[in-house]
Structure formats: structure tokens, C-alpha cells
Amino acid sequence: MSEPVPKLRVHNLAISLDGYVAGPNQGPDHPLGEGGMRLHEWVFATPYANPEATNEPGIDDDFLAAGDRGVGATIIGRNMFGPIRGEWPDHEWKGWWGDNPPYHHDVFVLTHHPRPSLSMEGGTTFHFVDDTPEAVLRRAFDAANGRDVRLGGGAATVRAYLRAGLIDELHLAVVALLLGSGERLYDGLGSLPGYEAATVSHSPAVTHVTFTRSAA
């Protein structure tokens, strides 16, 4: 029996009804842009993400857990790593997550301004790379050592990998609100041939839609 082929997966990408995955004016006080935290209220209501949550575990917990299962490396955009733009003034910024980020494996940060790799507590190492989506994905697969690679945000990063046809599974958590502006996922994607909706399921908080490559 042949070994399964590692995949590039997007999980739990919260998106508004008008297609935004973050609000405008990202900054230290607004990591997800103004109003963007509203997209993630369903996450913090789950026992999986928040031990103090009073809700019973449900479908949202299942989707959150699936996003961590079988992943050996992660790719994110620079905007997801932090609010600094352009040249790094120094190397003091180490991400939003404190000394022990939640990844616990190699994370490849796409940026036009590389800097030395940053090793953190808990096994997370951030690598700052300026290369094509294909080349970065090859490095991530090597680092994942046979496991899958997870693709995080932001919107521009996911769009780049969708345009290149490199994403194997895409899970959107559709939140019933309108942001009106910010970082929009759907711009510049054309008709996205090659992907089809595989599952649609609902919780009281969000609608989960997964897309996979079409058989044709």
C-alpha cells in the first residue's frame, strides 16, 4: 500500500457574508483589523479553544480539532505574523502569540523582507522567506516530514495559493455578519476551476463549508 500524499490544507478560515476574513486598519490594538474579532467569537465559545467556555463540545470543536490533526508545518503571510510593514526596524517583534506560539512546528512567513529564523518555546520556529508559493510549499513539505501543511491567513496568502491551484482542502467558517471593508478573500480569483464544495454543515454560530479538488 502506497503512503498517502501530503496535502496543503486551509482550516477554520472565518469569513463574513461579504467575503472578508479581516477588518480594516490592522494594528497592535486590532490584530484582525477593526471589527475582525467578531469573525472569531465562535472559536472562543468552544471548549476546544477556551477551557472556560460554558458551551458543550459540538461541531465547531470538531472542525477546530481537525485543523490541528496531522499537520507538520504551517505557511502564513506576514500580515498574520504582525502589524509591521516594509523593512523590519529591528527583530524585536516575535508575533502575536507570546513566547510559546500555538504551532509547535516550523512556520514559514511569506515576506519581501526576510530576517533570520526565530526559534520560540514549544518547538515553533518562524522562517521568513521571500519566494514563490510553490518553492515555499516545497520547503514546508520537507519540514513537515510526511505530514500535511496547513495554510493560514491572511486573505492575500490564501488567494495566492488558490490562484496557483496548490490548495488541496479549503474549509471556510462563514459567519453571519457584514464587515463592509477589510481583507477580502474572493477578489481576483476568477472562476476557480478545479474546486468543488464537498460538505456543508451548520452550528448555531457558523456555517462550515469545505472545498476539495474536483474529480474532473
Side-chain angles (χ1 to χ4, degrees), residues 51-198:
E52 298 180 359
T54 58
N55 293 343
E56 291 294 321
I59 186 174
D60 294 339
D61 297 81
D62 295 339
F63 274 99
L64 290 171
D68 292 328
R69 193 175 300 125
V71 172
T74 295
I75 299 170
I76 63 175
R78 178 172 172 177
N79 290 7
M80 188 170 172
F81 180 76
I84 300 169
R85 304 293 182 264
E87 294 283 352
W88 302 95
D90 51 49
H91 296 162
E92 292 301 311
W93 180 263
K94 298 179 180 180
W96 301 105
W97 306 277
D99 293 331
N100 189 357
Y103 299 100
H104 312 300
H105 52 229
D106 289 290
V107 178
F108 295 86
V109 182
L110 304 179
T111 174
H112 294 303
H113 301 279
R115 54 182 267 193
S117 294
L118 174 64
S119 295
M120 306 289 287
E121 294 178 13
T124 298
T125 298
F126 293 106
H127 305 282
F128 304 88
V129 293
D130 181 13
D131 213 331
T132 65
E134 293 84 356
V136 176
L137 182 57
R138 286 194 296 269
R139 288 188 59 181
F141 276 138
D142 287 343
N145 194 27
R147 290 174 290 173
D148 291 344
V149 173
R150 179 174 51 204
L151 180 64
T157 299
V158 177
R159 283 199 305 269
Y161 279 86
L162 280 171
R163 284 195 298 266
L166 297 172
I167 295 175
D168 296 295
E169 298 177 4
L170 170 66
H171 164 225
L172 302 179
V174 184
V175 183
L177 60 83
L178 301 173
L179 283 185
S181 63
E183 297 298 322
R184 185 172 152 82
L185 178 63
Y186 300 131
D187 293 344
L189 293 178
S191 60
L192 272 184
Y195 291 94
E196 61 185 6

